[in-house]
Amino acid sequence: MSTAIYSHPDCRRHDMGEWHPESPARLQAIEDQLILARLDGLLERREAPLAEIPAIGRNHTPEAIALVRDNTPTVDGDTYPLDGDTSLCSYSYQAALRAAGAALAATDAVIAGSIANAFCAVRPPGHHAMPAEPMGFCLFNNVAIAARHALDSHGLQRVAIIDFDVHHGNGTAASFRDDPRVLMASFFQHPFYPYTEPEPRTATMINIPVPARSGGDVVRQLITEHWLPALHEFKPEMIFISAGFDAHREDDVGGMGLVEADYAWITRQMMTVARLYARGRIVSCLEGGYNLSALGRSVVAHLKALADLE
């Protein structure tokens, strides 16, 4: 079975302005590095469908969905600000439906066994999107929507969400804080956006703050000492990854010190857990990563590990 990439041209049409780091150029940078690494022909390409509203509604309130849908401008070039970091253009709602649709379709395909695992090269990202409101570049929480789909539509009993973005996935944590079917494990720079205090650590919430300038040695140790024992105890039937690459040492949006080898190592650890308990089932969705070169190179490292090409 193959590793698939889900994406759609609509994801490049969401544009919050030339000044904004969460730009359409991010997806082009990934494509460029896939070509340079000669991976393009080794991965299966699949087009992201539009998510259906009931699937989004498993994780978001009707008001949160309406806020995006009803305020998306109808005139090209117009924008609507949701907060100081997040705005809508005329293509934003369509792009958000494609991003969530990619995660849902990838979940269906991985559970059906037609592909081994998948990476969703989509935007807008999702892990800051709260159940009741978008925030922090994010409109709908793609990984949370997909995790609920796996649980509620496919009948899985336990899923894990791994988040290695430099920012705390506060929207994901809020979605599953009281759901024993979901284990969330993350690290994130602290104090840093979104300036929320870490949740109390439990058997299924292992969100670990780290100081700025933390590098791969710190991250590998906390994964070994905290994530992996919890994952082995939990035995997830599927793993979802919020794959943010802004903890890279070249990314000025964050202040951490990871490199491509660290992302490959993290991915291999998750592959091992998935093979033990989840039939290898992993769906990964792009979150942050704003230095274009570092982003593209890091996604290549992530995909090589997912596809067992290194």
Side-chain angles (χ1 to χ4, degrees):
M1 289 190 293
S2 60
T3 293
I5 297 180
Y6 283 79
S7 195
H8 194 279
D10 285 347
C11 292
R12 301 190 190 195
R13 297 185 178 115
H14 168 62
D15 192 344
M16 294 187 284
E18 292 184 2
W19 61 273
H20 205 291
E22 207 292 283
S23 71
R26 299 176 66 229
L27 296 185
Q28 187 59 53
I30 291 170
E31 291 295 329
D32 292 345
Q33 289 294 335
L34 289 174
I35 293 168
L36 285 172
R38 299 181 179 179
L39 287 184
D40 196 50
L42 300 176
L43 304 167
E44 183 175 338
R45 295 285 186 158
R46 295 195 173 191
E47 188 169 274
L50 296 169
E52 296 185 355
I53 298 307
I56 297 175
R58 292 192 187 100
N59 194 71
H60 293 286
T61 64
E63 292 78 13
I65 297 169
L67 184 61
V68 178
R69 181 193 62 221
D70 297 345
N71 290 295
T72 293
T74 58
V75 177
D76 286 355
D78 285 357
T79 60
Y80 180 88
L82 293 171
D83 61 33
D85 300 308
T86 315
S87 62
L88 303 172
C89 75
S90 57
Y91 296 101
S92 295
Y93 183 57
Q94 187 89 347
L97 293 180
R98 294 288 184 191
L104 290 162
T107 299
D108 288 339
V110 168
I111 290 176
S114 64
I115 54 175
N117 52 48
F119 175 70
C120 300
V122 295
R123 48 183 299 280
H127 73 154
H128 293 309
M130 303 288 281
E133 62 178 336
M135 67 173 290
F137 307 176
C138 302
L139 302 183
F140 303 138
N141 195 317
N142 307 314
V143 159
I145 291 165
R148 289 203 182 279
H149 182 62
L151 293 163
D152 298 339
S153 295
H154 289 283
L156 271 61
Q157 300 298 308
R158 298 176 308 282
V159 302
I161 297 176
I162 303 301
D163 189 329
F164 53 69
D165 193 277
V166 77
H167 304 97
H168 177 36
N170 59 309
T172 308
S175 296
F176 298 111
R177 188 176 292 120
D178 300 317
D179 193 334
R181 302 173 300 170
V182 180
L183 181 150
M184 181 183 180
S186 73
F187 63 81
F188 55 92
Q189 183 177 323
H190 184 75
F192 200 38
Y193 185 88
Y195 304 106
T196 49
E197 286 302 312
E199 299 78 22
R201 199 176 305 176
T202 68
T204 55
M205 278 280 152
I206 306 102
N207 297 321
I208 302 175
V210 298
R213 294 180 292 281
S214 297
D217 55 340
V218 171
V219 166
R220 293 186 192 213
Q221 182 175 356
L222 73 83
I223 289 172
T224 300
E225 294 181 356
H226 300 286
W227 289 14
L228 293 178
L231 285 163
H232 288 301
E233 178 70 22
F234 188 71
K235 298 178 174 59
E237 297 173 320
M238 189 165 183
I239 294 176
F240 295 89
I241 299 177
S242 274
F245 299 95
D246 40 7
H248 195 285
R249 68 183 179 189
E250 296 174 21
D251 199 313
D252 292 335
V253 168
M256 289 183 63
L258 272 62
V259 296
E260 295 93 308
D262 296 313
Y263 293 117
W265 183 87
I266 296 169
T267 307
R268 289 195 297 270
Q269 304 311 304
M270 297 308 106
M271 291 278 286
T272 297
V273 173
R275 284 171 176 148
L276 283 172
Y277 309 115
R279 305 179 194 172
R281 299 185 293 208
I282 294 177
V283 170
S284 175
C285 295
L286 180 65
E287 299 285 359
Y290 305 103
N291 178 295
L292 297 181
S293 176
L295 169 63
R297 299 191 324 262
S298 298
V299 171
V300 165
H302 180 53
L303 281 166
K304 282 184 175 179
L306 282 175
D308 279 328
L309 294 174
E310 59 173 11

